[in-house]
């Protein structure tokens, strides 16, 4: 059984207080103090006690984490605030699977250390980087989702012109490999990406995001 918990942050909500409670920080901090007392009162030799206390002294909290994974649907300054506070309360990608949604795709501050080893999903293929560079060079601004969609629609029209119809059309576009299916449905690849060393790397893709036309 999977236990799910949701936190909705609005402009009137104290993000710091909510995330502190959500991360069980005070409880885990107390567990760390209790573990230090337990070691000091144990039957271990003084040498082993010192070794264990030294290990504990570099920790901010102790004990099981309140959750195995986090999905964060935020971007911009709010995302930076959330990730910074989570790191402060000892929740980061080294101890928790942190996953972002597709709105992380256009986030620019991912070179911050707090994003290291965090994942996000995207519908945009590796062709996006080349397209973005050409668009920026030609129009002196960054493309948006409407530009990506227009590009892929033109790819579909090109397929129809060459094949005579769009049935069983399959083409590689900015929004991944798109395939027209029967019954007015189409499938599209979903990409799993990861922040590593200040860069975005592609971890793989999952087929069959089925949508109605």
């Amino acid at each position: 059984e999977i236990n799910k918990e949701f936190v909705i942050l609005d402009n009137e909500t104290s993000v710091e207080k909510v995330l502190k409670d959500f991360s069980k920080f005070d409880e885990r901090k107390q567990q760390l103090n209790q573990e230090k007392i337990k070691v000091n009162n144990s039957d271990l030799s003084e040498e082993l006690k010192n070794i264990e206390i030294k290990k504990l002294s570099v920790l901010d909290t102790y004990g099981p984490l309140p959750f195995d994974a986090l999905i964060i649907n935020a971007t911009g300054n709010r995302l930076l605030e959330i990730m910074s506070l989570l790191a402060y309360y000892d929740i980061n990608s080294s101890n928790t699977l942190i996953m972002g949604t597709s709105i992380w795709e256009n986030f620019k501050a991912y070179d911050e250390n707090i994003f290291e080893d965090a994942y996000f999903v995207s519908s945009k293929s590796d062709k996006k980087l080349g397209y973005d560079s050409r668009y920026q060079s030609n129009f002196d601004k960054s493309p948006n989702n409407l530009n990506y969609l227009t590009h892929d629609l033109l790819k579909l029209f090109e397929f129809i012109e060459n094949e005579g119809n769009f049935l069983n059309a399959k083409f590689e576009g900015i929004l991944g490999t798109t395939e027209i299916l029967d019954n007015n449905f189409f499938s599209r690849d979903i990409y799993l990406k990861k922040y590593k060393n200040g860069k975005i790397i592609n971890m793989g893709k999952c087929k069959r995001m089925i949508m109605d036309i």
Side-chain angles (χ1 to χ4, degrees), residues 110-139:
Y110 54 78
D111 56 346
E112 299 279 348
N113 289 336
I114 52 177
F115 289 95
E116 183 74 3
D117 291 329
Y119 295 84
F120 70 96
V121 293
S122 171
S123 62
K124 297 180 179 66
S125 72
D126 291 339
K127 291 179 177 290
K128 173 181 178 295
L129 291 177
Y131 178 84
D132 287 355
S133 177
R134 293 191 300 273
Y135 192 97
Q136 181 75 40
S137 176
N138 290 330
F139 301 105

Coordinates of all heavy atoms in Angstrom, one line a residue, residues 110-139:
Y110 N 18.8 25.5 -12.5 CA 19.0 24.1 -12.1 C 20.4 23.8 -11.7 O 20.8 22.7 -11.3 CB 18.5 23.1 -13.1 CG 19.0 23.3 -14.5 CD1 20.3 22.9 -14.8 CD2 18.3 24.0 -15.5 CE1 20.9 23.1 -16.1 CE2 18.8 24.2 -16.7 CZ 20.1 23.8 -17.0 OH 20.6 24.0 -18.3
D111 N 21.4 24.7 -11.9 CA 22.8 24.5 -11.6 C 23.0 24.7 -10.1 O 24.1 24.5 -9.6 CB 23.7 25.4 -12.4 CG 23.4 26.9 -12.3 OD1 22.3 27.2 -11.7 OD2 24.2 27.7 -12.7
E112 N 22.0 25.1 -9.4 CA 22.1 25.1 -7.9 C 22.3 23.7 -7.3 O 21.7 22.8 -7.8 CB 20.9 25.8 -7.3 CG 20.5 27.2 -7.7 CD 21.4 28.2 -7.0 OE1 22.0 27.9 -6.0 OE2 21.4 29.4 -7.4
N113 N 23.2 23.6 -6.3 CA 23.5 22.3 -5.7 C 22.2 21.6 -5.2 O 22.2 20.4 -5.1 CB 24.5 22.5 -4.6 CG 25.8 22.8 -5.1 OD1 26.2 22.5 -6.2 ND2 26.7 23.4 -4.2
I114 N 21.2 22.3 -4.8 CA 20.0 21.7 -4.2 C 19.2 20.9 -5.2 O 18.4 20.1 -4.9 CB 19.1 22.8 -3.6 CG1 18.8 23.9 -4.7 CG2 19.6 23.4 -2.3 CD1 17.8 25.0 -4.2
F115 N 19.6 21.0 -6.5 CA 18.9 20.3 -7.6 C 19.7 19.0 -8.0 O 19.2 18.2 -8.8 CB 18.6 21.1 -8.8 CG 17.5 22.1 -8.5 CD1 17.8 23.4 -8.2 CD2 16.2 21.8 -8.6 CE1 16.9 24.4 -7.9 CE2 15.2 22.7 -8.4 CZ 15.5 24.0 -8.0
E116 N 20.9 18.9 -7.5 CA 21.7 17.7 -7.9 C 21.0 16.4 -7.6 O 20.5 16.1 -6.6 CB 23.0 17.8 -7.1 CG 24.0 16.7 -7.5 CD 24.7 17.0 -8.8 OE1 24.4 18.0 -9.4 OE2 25.5 16.1 -9.2
D117 N 20.9 15.6 -8.7 CA 20.3 14.3 -8.7 C 18.8 14.3 -8.6 O 18.2 13.2 -8.3 CB 20.9 13.4 -7.6 CG 22.4 13.0 -7.8 OD1 22.7 12.9 -9.0 OD2 23.1 12.9 -6.9
A118 N 18.2 15.4 -8.7 CA 16.7 15.5 -8.8 C 16.3 15.1 -10.2 O 17.0 15.4 -11.2 CB 16.2 16.8 -8.4
Y119 N 15.1 14.6 -10.3 CA 14.5 14.1 -11.6 C 13.3 15.0 -12.0 O 12.7 15.6 -11.2 CB 14.1 12.7 -11.6 CG 15.2 11.7 -11.4 CD1 15.6 11.4 -10.1 CD2 15.7 11.0 -12.4 CE1 16.6 10.4 -9.9 CE2 16.7 10.0 -12.2 CZ 17.2 9.8 -11.0 OH 18.1 8.8 -10.8
F120 N 13.0 15.0 -13.3 CA 11.8 15.6 -13.8 C 11.4 14.9 -15.1 O 12.2 14.3 -15.8 CB 11.8 17.1 -13.9 CG 12.6 17.6 -15.1 CD1 12.0 17.9 -16.3 CD2 14.0 17.8 -14.9 CE1 12.8 18.4 -17.3 CE2 14.8 18.2 -16.0 CZ 14.2 18.5 -17.2
V121 N 10.1 15.0 -15.4 CA 9.6 14.4 -16.6 C 9.4 15.4 -17.6 O 9.1 16.6 -17.3 CB 8.3 13.6 -16.4 CG1 8.6 12.3 -15.5 CG2 7.2 14.4 -15.7
S122 N 9.5 15.1 -18.9 CA 9.3 16.1 -20.0 C 8.8 15.3 -21.2 O 9.1 14.2 -21.4 CB 10.7 16.7 -20.3 OG 10.6 17.5 -21.4
S123 N 8.1 16.1 -22.0 CA 7.6 15.5 -23.3 C 8.5 16.0 -24.4 O 8.3 15.6 -25.6 CB 6.2 16.0 -23.6 OG 6.1 17.4 -23.7
K124 N 9.6 16.8 -24.1 CA 10.4 17.3 -25.2 C 11.7 16.5 -25.4 O 12.3 16.1 -24.4 CB 10.8 18.8 -24.8 CG 9.6 19.7 -24.7 CD 10.0 21.1 -24.3 CE 8.8 22.0 -24.3 NZ 7.9 21.7 -23.2
S125 N 12.0 16.2 -26.6 CA 13.1 15.4 -27.0 C 14.4 16.1 -27.0 O 14.4 17.3 -26.8 CB 12.8 14.8 -28.4 OG 13.0 15.8 -29.4
D126 N 15.5 15.4 -27.3 CA 16.8 16.0 -27.4 C 16.9 17.0 -28.5 O 17.8 17.9 -28.6 CB 17.9 15.0 -27.6 CG 18.0 14.1 -26.3 OD1 17.6 14.5 -25.2 OD2 18.5 13.0 -26.4
K127 N 16.0 17.0 -29.5 CA 16.0 17.9 -30.6 C 15.7 19.3 -30.1 O 15.9 20.3 -30.8 CB 14.9 17.5 -31.6 CG 15.2 16.3 -32.4 CD 14.1 16.0 -33.4 CE 14.5 14.7 -34.2 NZ 15.6 15.0 -35.2
K128 N 15.1 19.5 -28.9 CA 14.7 20.8 -28.4 C 15.9 21.7 -28.3 O 15.8 22.9 -28.6 CB 14.1 20.6 -27.0 CG 13.8 21.9 -26.3 CD 13.2 21.7 -24.9 CE 12.9 22.9 -24.1 NZ 14.2 23.7 -23.8
L129 N 17.1 21.2 -27.9 CA 18.3 22.1 -27.7 C 18.7 22.7 -29.0 O 18.9 23.9 -29.1 CB 19.4 21.3 -27.1 CG 19.2 20.8 -25.6 CD1 20.5 20.0 -25.2 CD2 19.1 22.0 -24.7
G130 N 18.7 21.9 -30.1 CA 19.1 22.5 -31.4 C 18.0 23.5 -31.9 O 18.4 24.5 -32.4
Y131 N 16.8 23.1 -31.7 CA 15.7 24.0 -32.1 C 15.7 25.3 -31.3 O 15.6 26.4 -31.9 CB 14.3 23.3 -31.9 CG 13.1 24.2 -32.3 CD1 12.7 24.2 -33.6 CD2 12.5 24.9 -31.3 CE1 11.6 25.0 -33.9 CE2 11.4 25.7 -31.6 CZ 10.9 25.7 -33.0 OH 9.9 26.5 -33.3
D132 N 15.9 25.2 -30.0 CA 16.0 26.5 -29.2 C 17.1 27.4 -29.7 O 17.0 28.6 -29.7 CB 16.2 26.1 -27.7 CG 15.0 25.5 -27.1 OD1 13.9 25.5 -27.7 OD2 15.1 25.1 -25.9
S133 N 18.3 26.8 -30.0 CA 19.4 27.6 -30.4 C 19.1 28.3 -31.7 O 19.4 29.5 -31.9 CB 20.7 26.7 -30.5 OG 21.8 27.4 -31.0
R134 N 18.6 27.6 -32.7 CA 18.2 28.2 -34.0 C 17.2 29.3 -33.8 O 17.3 30.3 -34.5 CB 17.8 27.1 -35.0 CG 18.9 26.1 -35.3 CD 18.4 25.2 -36.5 NE 17.2 24.5 -36.2 CZ 17.2 23.3 -35.6 NH1 18.4 22.7 -35.3 NH2 16.1 22.6 -35.4
Y135 N 16.2 29.0 -33.0 CA 15.1 30.0 -32.8 C 15.6 31.2 -32.2 O 15.3 32.3 -32.6 CB 14.0 29.3 -31.9 CG 12.7 30.1 -31.9 CD1 11.6 29.8 -32.7 CD2 12.5 31.2 -31.0 CE1 10.4 30.5 -32.7 CE2 11.4 31.9 -31.0 CZ 10.3 31.6 -31.8 OH 9.1 32.3 -31.8
Q136 N 16.5 31.1 -31.2 CA 17.0 32.2 -30.5 C 17.9 33.0 -31.4 O 17.9 34.3 -31.4 CB 17.9 31.7 -29.3 CG 18.6 32.8 -28.5 CD 17.6 33.5 -27.6 OE1 16.7 32.9 -27.0 NE2 17.7 34.9 -27.5
S137 N 18.6 32.4 -32.3 CA 19.5 33.0 -33.3 C 18.7 33.8 -34.3 O 19.0 34.9 -34.7 CB 20.4 32.0 -34.0 OG 21.2 32.6 -35.0
N138 N 17.5 33.3 -34.7 CA 16.7 33.9 -35.7 C 15.8 35.0 -35.2 O 15.6 36.0 -35.9 CB 15.9 32.8 -36.5 CG 16.7 31.9 -37.3 OD1 17.8 32.3 -37.8 ND2 16.3 30.7 -37.5
F139 N 15.3 34.8 -34.0 CA 14.2 35.7 -33.5 C 14.6 36.5 -32.3 O 13.9 37.3 -31.8 CB 12.9 34.9 -33.3 CG 12.4 34.2 -34.5 CD1 12.5 32.9 -34.6 CD2 11.8 34.9 -35.5 CE1 12.0 32.2 -35.7 CE2 11.3 34.3 -36.6 CZ 11.4 32.9 -36.7

